């Protein structure tokens, strides 16, 4: 149990376009989802925390107008990178927790690799 | 700034040997979690240890927690080539979010 999926697994886009990444909890209801980004050979940096039905809480230094997060249901959260630029190229990973995970253990998706040309 | 700091940053061992990785953190925690990440993939949860626990086992994994020293260790016994991955510790404090260290890159040579 506790499976989280992400789509797409990789995406290449042109500078200035917007890209949407989906994160789904497949077998449990996710009360909270988290979005991270990871640069090569580095650790995960938390970008934002989203709770179903409310606005996301962004970490310091993360532009909320650039990284739009929507958590419309207990199984789906989306991250939209607006007006993407090459410096937004990164590995984006989501995770989810819920009552089934005792609100403690985060289960991660497989990640989405974004390349902005 | 990162809450956790793993050491060593990289570790290379032979198959069958034990691998020990350490994690230090700075503030009080509710629990500490270890994750594995294969190259280019998401994180896989390995084990969670709560602040009132000192040691926990899961298969070939053994985790210790010393809250007085704000440190934890992950021991993988009888390592296999398939254990090759990066290992991260994440700490959970007053909120649900995890703060990760920089990770230890483990290479197990066959």
């Amino acid at each position: 149990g506790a499976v989280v999926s992400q789509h797409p697994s990789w995406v290449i886009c042109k500078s200035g376009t917007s890209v949407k990444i989906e994160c789904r909890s497949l077998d449990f209801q996710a009360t909270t989802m988290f979005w991270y980004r990871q640069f090569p050979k580095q650790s995960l940096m938390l970008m934002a925390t989203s709770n179903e039905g409310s606005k996301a809480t962004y970490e310091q230094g993360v532009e909320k107008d650039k990284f739009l997060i929507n958590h419309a249901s207990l199984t789906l959260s989306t991250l939209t990178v607006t007006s993407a630029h090459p410096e937004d190229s990164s590995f984006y990973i989501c995770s989810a927790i819920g009552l089934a995970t005792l609100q403690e253990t985060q289960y991660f998706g497989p990640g989405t690799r974004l390349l902005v040309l | 700034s990162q809450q956790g700091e793993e050491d060593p940053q990289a570790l290379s061992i032979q198959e069958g040997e034990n691998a020990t990785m350490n994690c230090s953190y700075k503030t009080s925690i509710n629990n500490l979690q270890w994750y594995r990440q294969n190259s280019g993939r998401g994180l896989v949860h390995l084990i969670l240890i709560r602040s009132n626990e000192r040691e926990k086992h899961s298969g070939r994994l053994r985790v210790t927690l010393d809250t007085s020293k704000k440190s934890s260790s992950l021991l993988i016994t009888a390592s296999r080539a398939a254990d090759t991955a990066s290992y991260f510790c994440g700490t959970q404090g007053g909120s649900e979010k995890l703060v990760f260290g920089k990770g230890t890159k483990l290479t197990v040579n066959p």
Side-chain angles (χ1 to χ4, degrees):
Chain A
V3 178
V4 176
S5 70
Q6 268 182 255
H7 178 79
S9 56
W10 58 271
V11 58
I12 302 173
C13 70
K14 292 182 179 179
S15 188
T17 61
S18 294
V19 175
K20 180 185 281 189
I21 302 169
E22 292 186 348
C23 177
R24 293 181 185 274
S25 57
L26 299 184
D27 53 2
F28 69 102
Q29 293 185 326
T31 51
T32 306
M33 286 185 169
F34 304 86
W35 287 95
Y36 298 83
R37 68 186 297 184
Q38 184 180 33
F39 292 105
K41 299 183 180 180
Q42 293 191 26
S43 186
L44 284 77
M45 183 192 79
L46 179 65
M47 299 174 66
T49 302
S50 75
N51 294 292
E52 185 264 341
S54 61
K55 289 184 179 180
T57 301
Y58 291 81
E59 295 298 301
Q60 192 173 7
V62 178
E63 299 176 59
K64 61 178 68 176
D65 294 331
K66 179 158 188 67
F67 299 100
L68 300 178
I69 292 171
N70 183 274
H71 193 159
S73 75
L74 283 172
T75 59
L76 173 64
S77 176
T78 59
L79 167 68
T80 301
V81 183
T82 62
S83 187
H85 288 98
E87 58 265 30
D88 298 324
S89 298
S90 189
F91 191 55
Y92 292 87
I93 312 176
C94 71
S95 69
I97 61 172
L99 291 177
T101 74
L102 304 180
Q103 304 290 137
E104 291 179 322
T105 301
Q106 290 187 21
Y107 287 89
F108 284 79
T112 296
R113 191 162 300 281
L114 170 64
L115 177 61
V116 184
L117 301 177
Chain B
S1 61
Q2 294 286 1
Q3 167 76 307
E5 291 286 338
E6 289 93 336
D7 82 272
Q9 290 189 2
L11 179 62
S12 182
I13 59 174
Q14 294 299 121
E15 212 166 20
E17 294 180 340
N18 295 341
T20 300
M21 289 160 270
N22 302 296
C23 168
S24 60
Y25 57 93
K26 297 177 182 176
T27 61
S28 61
I29 62 171
N30 289 334
N31 64 68
L32 185 146
Q33 305 179 36
W34 284 93
Y35 288 81
R36 183 186 76 229
Q37 183 181 35
N38 289 90
S39 181
R41 307 294 295 275
L43 274 68
V44 174
H45 182 258
L46 297 176
I47 199 163
L48 179 153
I49 186 165
R50 294 190 173 83
S51 60
N52 61 351
E53 298 175 310
R54 292 295 167 258
E55 189 171 310
K56 213 161 181 182
H57 297 256
S58 177
R60 294 184 296 113
L61 306 180
R62 173 177 168 254
V63 168
T64 62
L65 179 65
D66 186 334
T67 52
S68 67
K69 295 181 180 179
K70 292 187 169 58
S71 68
S72 172
S73 68
L74 169 67
L75 168 68
I76 304 174
T77 59
S79 63
R80 305 167 182 167
D83 295 328
T84 294
S86 290
Y87 291 82
F88 294 92
C89 71
T91 53
Q92 197 174 53
S95 69
E96 296 169 328
K97 63 183 183 182
L98 277 173
V99 180
F100 287 96
K102 295 179 180 178
T104 292
K105 184 174 171 62
L106 173 66
T107 302
V108 181
N109 301 299

